[in-house]
Amino acid sequence: MCGIIGVSNHPEASRAIYLGLYALQHRGEEAAGVASFDGQEVHLIKSPGLASDALTDQDLIKLKGYAAIGHCRYSTTGSSNVKNIQPFLVRHRGRPIAIAHNGNLTNTAELFSRLEEEGSLFQTTMDSELIVHLLAKEKTNDLEKMFTNVLRQLEGAFSLVFLVGDTIVGARDPQGFRPLCLGRSGDGYVLASESCAFDLIKAEFIREVEPGEMVIINKDKLKTCRYGKNGAEKHAHCVFENIYFARPDSHIFNDNVYLTRKRLGAQLAKEHPVKNADFVIAIPDSGNYAALGYAQEMGLPFETGLIRNHYIGRTFIQPSQFIREARVRVKLNPIRDVLKGKRVVVVEDSIVRGTTSRSRIEELRNAGIKEIHMRISCPPIQWPCFYGIDFPSKKELIASSKSVEEIAKFIKVDSLGYLSLEGMLSVMNDGTQFCHACFSGKYPVKVPVNQSKYLLES
Ligand code: AMP
């Protein structure tokens, strides 16, 4: 995952980026950084932690300039090493180039070995660094030609923003795996992973950058070009952005995330109704809107059964299992007086390893619930993701080795129902344009086959 943002022609560019990173924080809590350009010099500050910890007031004063890009990181490739924090800055022919990347490339191994043979020296273990090495090899200074040549060599998932001097370049892979939105702010433009970042900086949403499109923005001028094959590629938007990852107030993949989640919940109710339940609750926050959709479709009351402690981030984003497990216990607390003796439908967006769900259900049982009917607003996740979602290896994905009945036993619920693949796609804005490899094993772009992520035993 990761959140990316860029602004041009803004009197307080780095502050706009900082606010934007606040809005995109859910896309990566591990580290944050900003690179800005003031007409003469480039400035770069990046640190581990949330945007509010990684960047101080003093930092923002130092980050002068009218053009800037920013990144919040959630590591999928490359370790959590500080060297891997973005934006990643290099100088090429006297010109600074900074990159912020969301997504995972799938031809990393080929590109690494080719570039190493040709003499490249790498500073990080990030696939994003490959992109600047490819840019450095280009003989032309014409940005459109240079970026076109490089972007055509990349495979997999990438939404990108670059700062090249005072020019912002934005690009999206031809399948459009990850979102990237374009907005207008005063006399300049903004690019951001999700439209929710625009609201905070009072930018106006224009549209999404198209899959296979590149935009080159200099001050108040925007040029757009297609570097990908014109219309030849089928889109493969990540359906998990809609299910879980993106913010509900964002508009991505031509749809509003909140409304999509409600439709997922309504479809789930059609496929797995629970008759005679007392009410529906969500596992907050990820299950909230699917639960609401479920309750409305069923005509059942929607209650709050778990209270979230707001001073904790998303549990999975911290890479260590020990921290993840500890945080599960402090994050949500059941309201006993609501739950005691009741038959309850519990809606969650997804089950990955099953460990969080199992401890959640145990807490609900301890609160005196009589029956728990768990409903999941996506199909069983059986396959690893190679395009940027940090799903574990196949052997850790509970649904890759257990049937729905076995999972129900493991998490100790009275019944368990998952949304079907067809049902999920039927409520998307054109279900044919989505990647659902984590559910179906149908990978729209060739993946590196010898990866251990695939293996059930290793
Ligand atoms: P679990 O029961 O341990 O599989 O945890 C399920 C919860 O973690 C659900 O709310 C999931 O949506 C959430 N989650 C989302 N993405 C991930 C991920 N990449 N890795 C682990 N858990 C995730």
Side-chain angles (χ1 to χ4, degrees):
M1 267 303 128
C2 295
I4 58 171
I5 178 163
V7 293
S8 74
N9 220 23
H10 195 289
E12 294 189 71
S14 59
R15 288 196 174 85
I17 295 288
Y18 176 76
L19 285 178
L21 289 177
Y22 241 104
L24 299 173
Q25 192 73 82
H26 59 287
R27 299 186 69 84
E29 300 179 357
E30 204 181 292
V34 178
S36 67
F37 189 75
D38 62 11
Q40 305 278 317
E41 272 183 79
V42 68
H43 310 275
L44 172 71
I45 297 182
K46 48 187 185 174
S47 268
L50 301 175
S52 55
D53 300 325
L55 299 154
T56 63
D57 272 355
Q58 286 306 312
D59 292 336
L60 295 176
I61 293 168
K62 286 183 203 149
L63 287 161
K64 293 192 191 70
Y66 54 89
I69 64 169
H71 187 267
C72 52
R73 175 169 172 82
Y74 146 53
S75 65
T76 47
T77 71
S79 60
S80 342
N81 192 319
V82 278
K83 276 195 180 159
N84 288 342
I85 303 176
Q86 296 189 25
F88 183 70
L89 174 70
V90 292
R91 266 179 200 285
H92 178 241
R93 296 202 195 126
R95 173 162 76 171
I97 304 181
I99 178 175
H101 174 199
N102 172 208
N104 275 9
L105 302 182
T106 49
N107 60 338
T108 311
E110 292 92 315
L111 290 174
F112 258 125
S113 56
R114 195 184 94 203
L115 285 165
E116 268 184 344
E117 250 166 55
E118 289 168 10
S120 294
L121 298 169
F122 291 96
Q123 293 177 38
T124 74
T125 51
M126 286 184 297
D127 55 354
S128 322
E129 191 184 347
L130 289 165
I131 303 171
V132 286
H133 283 273
L134 292 173
L135 285 169
K137 296 216 163 275
E138 289 300 315
K139 301 274 184 288
T140 170
N141 270 333
D142 179 284
L143 287 186
E144 183 178 340
K145 282 193 193 140
M146 179 176 167
F147 276 90
T148 298
N149 290 344
V150 169
L151 293 168
R152 284 191 175 160
Q153 297 174 59
L154 308 180
E155 287 171 20
F158 52 91
S159 280
L160 296 162
V161 290
F162 299 87
L163 180 72
V164 188
D166 62 358
T167 302
I168 305 282
V169 180
R172 211 168 154 206
D173 63 71
Q175 288 74 26
F177 280 105
R178 303 280 147 231
L180 186 63
C181 301
L182 173 69
R184 180 97 197 164
S185 167
D187 294 329
Y189 288 93
V190 191
L191 290 167
S193 296
E194 292 181 38
S195 66
C196 64
F198 296 162
D199 302 337
L200 201 55
I201 58 174
K202 291 196 173 156
E204 186 196 334
F205 176 83
I206 303 176
R207 63 178 175 87
E208 292 178 64
V209 174
E210 294 287 321
E213 182 187 5
M214 160 170 64
V215 289
I216 302 176
I217 303 166
N218 189 268
K219 300 199 177 115
D220 60 346
K221 307 247 171 339
L222 179 135
K223 184 176 178 191
T224 162
C225 30
R226 293 223 140 253
Y227 72 86
K229 288 171 229 145
N230 223 347
E233 309 273 356
K234 203 168 161 208
H235 297 166
H237 309 311
C238 169
V239 72
F240 205 67
E241 292 267 359
N242 289 79
I243 293 164
Y244 173 80
F245 212 83
R247 246 173 69 157
D249 49 342
S250 285
H251 185 94
I252 57 163
F253 309 148
N254 295 316
D255 212 343
N256 166 260
V257 176
Y258 167 84
L259 294 174
T260 313
R261 286 186 194 161
K262 271 186 72 181
R263 293 199 301 268
L264 288 167
Q267 179 63 27
L268 182 60
K270 285 181 196 150
E271 294 183 16
H272 298 283
V274 180
K275 307 256 160 60
N276 308 321
D278 290 308
F279 50 77
V280 178
I281 66 164
I283 306 267
D285 288 334
S286 51
N288 283 355
Y289 313 112
L292 187 58
Y294 188 102
Q296 286 179 352
E297 178 66 28
M298 290 293 298
L300 282 170
F302 177 58
E303 284 288 353
T304 298
L306 290 157
I307 295 297
R308 174 157 177 202
N309 182 332
H310 283 277
Y311 302 95
I312 296 158
R314 288 183 177 194
T315 42
F316 82 91
I317 262 167
Q318 300 294 331
S320 121
Q321 179 70 17
F322 171 71
I323 292 174
R324 192 186 293 127
E325 280 177 10
R327 285 162 70 100
V328 163
R329 291 192 295 275
V330 286
K331 192 167 152 184
L332 292 176
N333 197 33
I335 314 179
R336 283 162 216 282
D337 296 316
V338 171
L339 301 168
K340 203 161 173 225
K342 303 292 187 196
R343 298 185 72 221
V344 182
V345 181
V346 179
V347 180
E348 172 63 305
D349 69 293
S350 59
I351 298 179
V352 181
R353 294 176 176 81
T355 47
T356 321
S357 304
R358 187 182 158 111
S359 38
R360 221 39 104 224
I361 296 300
E362 194 183 333
E363 285 158 28
L364 290 171
R365 291 268 182 226
N366 293 342
I369 272 198
K370 194 162 118 206
E371 280 177 36
I372 301 179
H373 301 279
M374 192 159 193
R375 296 295 179 266
I376 308 297
S377 67
C378 71
I381 300 174
Q382 292 174 288
W383 300 88
C385 178
F386 295 91
Y387 311 125
I389 299 279
D390 186 24
F391 284 146
S393 62
K394 207 164 178 343
K395 77 171 179 194
E396 287 172 89
L397 290 169
I398 189 166
S400 72
S401 59
K402 285 189 173 27
S403 67
V404 175
E405 294 70 38
E406 286 167 334
I407 299 171
K409 254 195 199 150
F410 175 78
I411 59 177
K412 302 195 174 122
V413 288
D414 298 286
S415 76
L416 175 64
Y418 280 93
L419 186 60
S420 67
L421 184 65
E422 300 69 35
M424 174 185 77
L425 295 176
S426 74
V427 303
M428 293 294 148
N429 183 356
D430 192 353
T432 63
Q433 305 292 317
F434 281 85
C435 171
H436 43 76
C438 53
F439 308 115
S440 62
K442 290 189 181 132
Y443 291 95
V445 168
K446 188 178 71 163
V447 297
V449 276
N450 54 355
Q451 287 235 358
S452 58
K453 262 189 157 192
Y454 257 141
L455 305 175
L456 261 179
E457 285 160 37
S458 66

